[in-house]
Structure formats: C-alpha cells, structure tokens
Amino acid sequence: MNGWIGTIVRVDLTAGTVKKEALDPALAKKFIGGRGLASKILSDEIDPQIDPLSPGNKLIFASGPLNGTYAPSASHYNVVAKGPLNGTIAASSSGGIFGPMLKYAGYDMIIFEGKAKKPVYLWIKDAEIEIRSAEDFWGKNTVETTEEIRAATDEEASVACIGPGGERQVLFANVMNECNRAAGRSGVGAVMGSKNLKAVAVRGTGAVRVSDNDAFRIATDKASKKIREHEVGGTGLRKYGTDVLVNILNEIGGLPTRNFRESYFPTADKLGGESLAEKVLIRPRGCFSCIISCGRATRVKNPKYQGMGEGPEYESAWAFGPDCGIDDLDAITKANYICNEAGIDTITMGTTIACAMDLFEDGIITTKDTDGIELNFGNADAMVEMVRKTAAGEGFGRKLALGSYRLAESYGHPEYSMSVKKQEMPAYDPRAVQGIGLNFATSNRGGCHVRGYTIAPEVLGNPEKVDPLVTEGKANLNIIFQNLTAALDSSGACLFATFGIGGDELAELLSAATGVAYSTDDFMKAGERIWNLERVFNLKAGFSGKDDILPERILKDRIPKGPSKGLVNRLGEMLPEYYTLRGWDTTGVPSKEKLRELGL
C-alpha cells in the first residue's frame, strides 16, 4: 500500500500475545486512518455500554496516511477508546514524532485488548515487538519514564506513556509522548492505566511510500506555501504560540472568567502570548514535519514556581488563569508543568478547580472539604496546590480527579459544572460566540473546540469573517467544520494546518500519497461518515439529543459586564436546523437513509 503501511498490531495484554494483521484497504479508503479508522474498529469490536475502565474496553493508537511523509505539519496520531470521563467515544490527537515513528517501524495501528497482570510496556523495533515489564517505571512521571525507557531500549525511540495520573485512573488522564505532547481530553490515559500499560516505545528505521512522488511534491509545496503566507499559520502561532488568543478573546468579551460567571478579565494581558514570550519563553518548538512551531519551550525562574518544560498553551493558560481568576503567569506555567509530568488534562484540571472555587465562594463547600485551604478565586497558591494534590492522589485532590461534573454533583449542585456531556468546555464563551456554542453542544466527545473550530471564522476571520453574534448559518458552518476536522484528524495532519489550507489541499495530498483518488467532496464525505459513526456509538452508549445541551448558566445567565454584556447563547435557534441539515430526526438520531448514504 502507499501512504498506509498495511499492517496492524494487535496486543492481548491478558494473554501476553502479539500478532500482526493486514489492514483492510476498503476500510482504509472509507475511514482514511487515525481517528476515523480506529473509531470504526472500536465500534465494531466493543459494546458501547461497556465500563470504560474494564478489560473489555480497547485502546487503539492509530496513525494516518500522511504521517511519516513530508506533508506540512503531518505529525498527528490518535488514541481511541471509550472515554471514562463521560462515556463517549474518545479520540485524542497528539503531535510530536510518535505517529511517524510508528509508520517507520512498519505499522498503521496498535490495538490493545484486555489487562496485564502486572505493569508492562510495549517495545517495537521495526519487525521485533516485545511486551516487557514496566514495574521499575510504575510510579514515575512522564519525563522520568520517557528517559528511562529510552535508556532501556533506544535513545531515538518515541515513547508514549502515562504518568501517575493515568496509573491512578484520574478520569481525565492523558497519554503523553515526547514528554510534553498530549493525547488529551476524555481520559484515554486512565484507560491505559486500567490495563496496566505504562508505555509504548517505538523505533522505526523504514520509510513511508507515496503513490505519486511528483504529484505529492507539488501538492506539498503548494500547501506549505499557503500556510507560510497565512498571518496565523505562518506568523502568529510561531511568534506567540496559541496563547496569543488570550487578548484576542478578551477584547471581544469571549474569555470565560471565574467559572464562566463573567466573560472579560481585566488583567488578561499579564498571561497572554505576548507576556509569555517576554517572561518565560526559551524558544518555539515544532512537531514532526511542522512548518508552524506553535509549541513553547519555557522556563520559570521564580523560586516559588521554578521549573522548565513546555507550555502553557492557550487553553491551559486560560483554565489555570482567568477561569480561576488568576493572572500570575508563573503559577499558571507551574500548574501546566505538573500536569504534563503527571499526565493529566490541563483543561479539565483547571476548570474543575474553577468549579470548586465557585462552590467555595458560594459556601457550598468549606475548608473542611478542601483540606483547610481557602479556595477563593484568585488564589494562585491554592490553585497550584490543588493541581499537585490531584496528581498525587491526596485529600481533596481525589475528588477533583473525578472532573467538575462529578465533583459538583457530589455536593448536590451539578449546575456549577461548566461541561457538556460531563466534559468541561474550553476557553471560549458561547454567549459571545454563538457558533462555538452549537459546536460544544453537538460535539461527539462533549465540551470540545477541536472537533469543529468555528472560532476560526467567527473570531479570527479564517477563511473569512463570520459575525459571532448571529445564529443564522451557524448550523451549516458547524457541519462543514466538524466534517473537515474528522477527515483531517484521520489523515494525520495537524488542525493548525487549516490556517492556510482546507479540504481541497488535504484531498490533493491524500490522493498523491495513497493513490486513492479523493476529491474534495470524497474527503468531506469521509468526515461526515466518521462523524455519524461516532454519533451512533454514543447513541448506543446511552446518549440522546437531550444531551446536546449547554449549561444553564450559558443559556440563561446574561454576561454581566464587558464587551459582551447582556448576551446569552441562543442554542435553540440553531440546533433544530443542525439536526435537519445532518439528515437526523428531531431527536438527533441519524436516519436510515443517511446511514445508507454513508455506507454505515
């Protein structure tokens, strides 16, 4: 095969066996790879109602056909399972070099089944695959684990692992590769921990063949040129990283503040990308074949919070910053470091602390609950300590490890959780940006921005500016972005490549790489197929249209001050049209005609 390698690795952790299987070319063509192909296999092989942390759940590491080629920013692989945070189908994307390295070793995908009796890791060196004991690495953080497994295998190996968060099955634990790249949200790291699987280490020395070298070179040059010439993809992200969004969102009154009580943070400039570049940045960092370099290698010199690592990204800076009423960049960066080392999701961690602060401010919880800590908005020391406690599994941290919904529900007030389908919303207030609210409500993994990033047109004007305050046209806009992202995630490309290119260029790259003639319509249809597949999985898991809803605070409580004062999200004006355009019935169930059309 071209683009695809044509081989899947299946690991039965219970039996301790490894076998290789041929990739079905027909499935690869329909679902592309990565998120789509892994979601199809997961849907076919597990009961959607299974306990996500039981041995019956499967954990899939899946590359895309563009991984390992020189297509621009084609570094991303996906980790797919049923997610324990909320029970939806989880597909967590990560960059770095793991996806390409898996391809160079000769594999498109690894499927993990069952549960090992004791901690293990998988070591892949080209054709040789071995399950090894990880007992010496259990309890170590992601940096220690990565360094020690490389020392035990190959210094050039790519290591995807869990930290103490995944071992303790924190419900929002990540899988981390290259120490600081995260397959985050939904808790795929907890699934990995539930299987006693500490890490996957891969060293490949092969190559990825493309079908038409000349056509692929032309397509790559064209796509790379467009990204480099884009003001966000070519300049903004490299100069300031994703954290450049802090001031942009704050200026329009769309930066959620103090657990979404407000939407404007007066001192936001203290933690934006410009301040990060001035105070803690060492240099930009990029993933495999990246021409954007949005990553931030950083160092905090303040003795109180000193450390070195990567980040924070925009979402992390917001979650530990404005959402908690904090403008101390050093404290925010330290919290980010702790999360990376422990292998836990920064968005859910920060927003769960914000939820706890909200409960504390309203007297629902007290210092008796919080281990004697005054958990007020703005208390940076308390925020950092709560991150540490969660990572360590201590005291109140054990409750925070359940996520904001279960935390708030345990005190009789689930309405304090700013989540959708029990996954926390990220750093965009749906009251100030209407379309992203519809995206949060309909996302197949709960509150999530990277499944249909309508912030691009609604705020950043990419590919063209759309009024963020209107609801007209937002149903169709979301469908386009959701389908595009599903196909992109499956190809192996990075979402930020879309700051410059779109479906036309991605279809052209995919066609030249695989030899399968994907038109733009074919590419987008594959995305629609994947989206509907995920929807059906969630329906079988017990979700329904009633779960396509935003928190009451977003729908009823008007923003109290700032540029977006007085606004609420008008989801009811968008959702019925969304269902109709999707080909679903009024309760959000795909019609039989739509499923037949998509080959599902």
Side-chain angles (χ1 to χ4, degrees):
M1 299 178 76
N2 296 305
W4 300 287
I5 299 298
T7 304
I8 294 172
V9 176
R10 190 177 292 270
V11 181
D12 186 330
L13 292 167
T14 303
T17 59
V18 176
K19 64 178 181 179
K20 300 175 185 179
E21 302 173 357
L23 173 65
D24 183 341
L27 277 186
K29 179 180 178 181
K30 285 180 67 175
F31 295 94
I32 303 177
R35 171 182 162 187
L37 188 57
S39 295
K40 170 60 175 170
I41 290 172
L42 187 80
S43 297
D44 286 349
E45 295 190 2
I46 74 165
D47 179 353
Q49 295 194 9
I50 200 167
D51 177 352
L53 298 178
S54 71
N57 197 5
K58 298 190 180 185
L59 183 71
I60 305 175
F61 288 69
S63 66
L66 295 181
N67 285 155
T69 71
Y70 54 89
S73 300
S75 62
H76 279 239
Y77 74 102
N78 271 258
V79 182
V80 177
K82 182 179 180 182
L85 181 63
N86 62 359
T88 63
I89 190 167
S92 299
S93 175
S94 180
I97 64 170
F98 184 88
M101 190 66 81
L102 183 62
K103 298 278 289 293
Y104 293 155
Y107 312 103
D108 296 292
M109 182 183 296
I110 309 169
I111 303 171
F112 289 99
E113 305 172 335
K115 177 181 179 179
K117 293 179 181 178
K118 295 180 179 180
V120 298
Y121 73 98
L122 189 72
W123 166 230
I124 299 177
K125 176 70 179 290
D126 294 327
E128 299 176 7
I129 306 177
E130 182 182 356
I131 300 173
R132 293 184 173 183
S133 171
E135 291 180 84
D136 290 343
F137 309 124
W138 202 256
K140 296 188 176 182
N141 69 33
T142 58
V143 176
E144 294 165 339
T145 300
T146 298
E147 291 175 348
E148 293 184 23
I149 287 182
R150 280 177 173 164
T153 55
D154 190 305
E155 290 295 340
E156 294 187 39
S158 176
V159 179
C161 66
I162 56 172
E167 293 172 3
R168 294 191 181 93
Q169 296 172 38
V170 172
L171 293 183
F172 46 93
N174 297 341
V175 175
M176 306 293 296
N177 58 280
E178 282 73 68
C179 299
N180 295 292
R181 299 293 91 200
R185 314 300 328 258
S186 305
V188 292
V191 176
M192 194 164 169
S194 75
K195 295 185 175 298
N196 276 332
L197 179 63
K198 179 64 174 175
V200 182
V202 184
R203 175 73 171 102
T205 59
V208 177
R209 295 179 310 198
V210 298
S211 176
D212 188 329
N213 281 300
D214 290 337
F216 191 73
R217 176 180 52 77
I218 292 169
T220 295
D221 289 347
K222 184 193 303 183
S224 298
K225 184 174 186 291
K226 289 184 175 182
I227 294 170
R228 288 192 175 101
E229 291 177 349
H230 194 279
E231 62 179 355
V232 178
T235 306
L237 286 173
R238 180 176 181 82
K239 188 173 183 179
Y240 295 121
T242 59
D243 202 29
V244 71
L245 289 168
V246 167
N247 289 320
I248 294 173
L249 267 295
N250 200 49
E251 286 172 5
I252 67 166
L255 186 69
T257 299
R258 297 178 184 87
N259 200 36
F260 287 78
R261 285 188 179 191
E262 302 159 26
S263 192
Y264 178 78
F265 194 54
T267 54
D269 61 300
K270 291 185 178 181
L271 53 103
E274 298 84 352
S275 293
L276 188 152
E278 178 185 342
K279 296 177 180 178
V280 300
L281 180 67
I282 299 173
R283 65 181 176 87
R285 296 197 67 174
C287 300
F288 178 91
S289 77
C290 182
I291 61 173
I292 297 172
S293 296
C294 70
R296 307 286 92 179
T298 56
R299 178 188 291 114
V300 175
K301 298 179 180 179
N302 179 351
K304 189 176 184 180
Y305 300 120
Q306 67 182 354
M308 186 167 68
E310 285 194 34
E313 302 291 339
Y314 167 60
E315 308 292 338
S316 311
W318 161 78
F320 296 125
D323 204 37
C324 291
I326 293 167
D327 62 11
D328 186 331
L329 182 59
D330 288 346
I332 291 165
T333 306
K334 180 64 175 180
N336 184 80
Y337 292 161
I338 296 171
C339 285
N340 283 353
E341 291 172 5
I344 53 180
D345 185 69
T346 55
I347 299 176
T348 290
M349 183 76 264
T351 52
T352 299
I353 294 171
C355 175
M357 287 177 166
D358 207 355
L359 292 165
F360 188 88
E361 294 257 342
D362 284 356
I364 296 168
I365 62 175
T366 69
T367 53
K368 292 181 180 179
D369 301 288
T370 62
D371 306 329
I373 296 172
E374 297 283 341
L375 202 54
N376 298 100
F377 284 121
N379 189 337
D381 289 346
M383 179 274 291
V384 173
E385 177 62 8
M386 288 299 163
V387 177
R388 188 199 66 78
K389 280 180 171 288
T390 305
E394 296 177 3
F396 190 61
R398 291 194 292 271
K399 276 208 163 184
L400 295 174
L402 301 175
S404 70
Y405 186 87
R406 290 174 178 83
L407 171 73
E409 185 182 45
S410 72
Y411 292 104
H413 289 278
E415 71 276 9
Y416 279 70
S417 171
M418 294 298 103
S419 60
V420 176
K421 301 180 179 76
K422 298 182 182 177
Q423 178 164 276
E424 292 73 14
M425 295 185 297
Y428 312 92
D429 196 315
R431 294 170 290 189
V433 188
Q434 294 294 320
I436 201 67
L438 177 61
N439 180 61
F440 291 169
T442 57
S443 172
N444 284 331
R445 66 172 185 177
C448 175
H449 60 298
V450 294
R451 292 299 182 86
Y453 194 60
T454 65
I455 293 299
E458 291 187 284
V459 177
L460 302 176
N462 179 62
E464 60 186 34
K465 189 71 171 70
V466 175
D467 187 345
L469 301 183
V470 304
T471 57
E472 292 81 7
K474 296 300 172 66
N476 189 55
L477 182 71
N478 267 279
I479 290 170
I480 292 170
F481 271 75
Q482 289 170 346
N483 292 350
L484 172 66
T485 306
L488 176 143
D489 283 345
S490 305
S491 74
C494 171
L495 178 63
F496 290 161
T498 59
F499 289 114
I501 64 173
D504 293 343
E505 293 81 9
L506 288 164
E508 187 176 3
L509 285 164
L510 203 57
S511 298
T514 65
V516 175
Y518 286 96
S519 66
T520 302
D521 287 345
D522 293 334
F523 184 75
M524 296 296 288
K525 183 64 72 174
E528 183 184 10
R529 182 178 299 115
I530 294 160
W531 190 268
N532 278 268
L533 172 78
E534 294 169 338
R535 179 74 176 190
V536 170
F537 181 98
N538 288 344
L539 291 170
K540 290 179 178 179
F543 290 88
S544 72
K546 293 179 181 179
D547 298 300
D548 296 334
I549 193 68
L550 296 171
E552 190 172 278
R553 183 172 293 181
I554 303 302
L555 297 174
K556 295 183 178 180
D557 293 357
R558 297 185 181 277
I559 294 175
K561 57 186 176 181
S564 295
K565 179 180 179 180
L567 298 180
V568 294
N569 184 269
R570 307 194 303 279
L571 179 65
E573 297 176 14
M574 300 178 281
L575 190 60
E577 182 185 10
Y578 176 88
Y579 285 169
T580 298
L581 294 178
R582 274 280 180 210
W584 300 352
D585 68 19
T586 57
T587 66
V589 176
S591 67
K592 291 181 180 180
E593 292 75 19
K594 173 56 68 174
L595 296 180
R596 278 197 295 269
E597 173 195 324
L598 297 172
L600 296 175

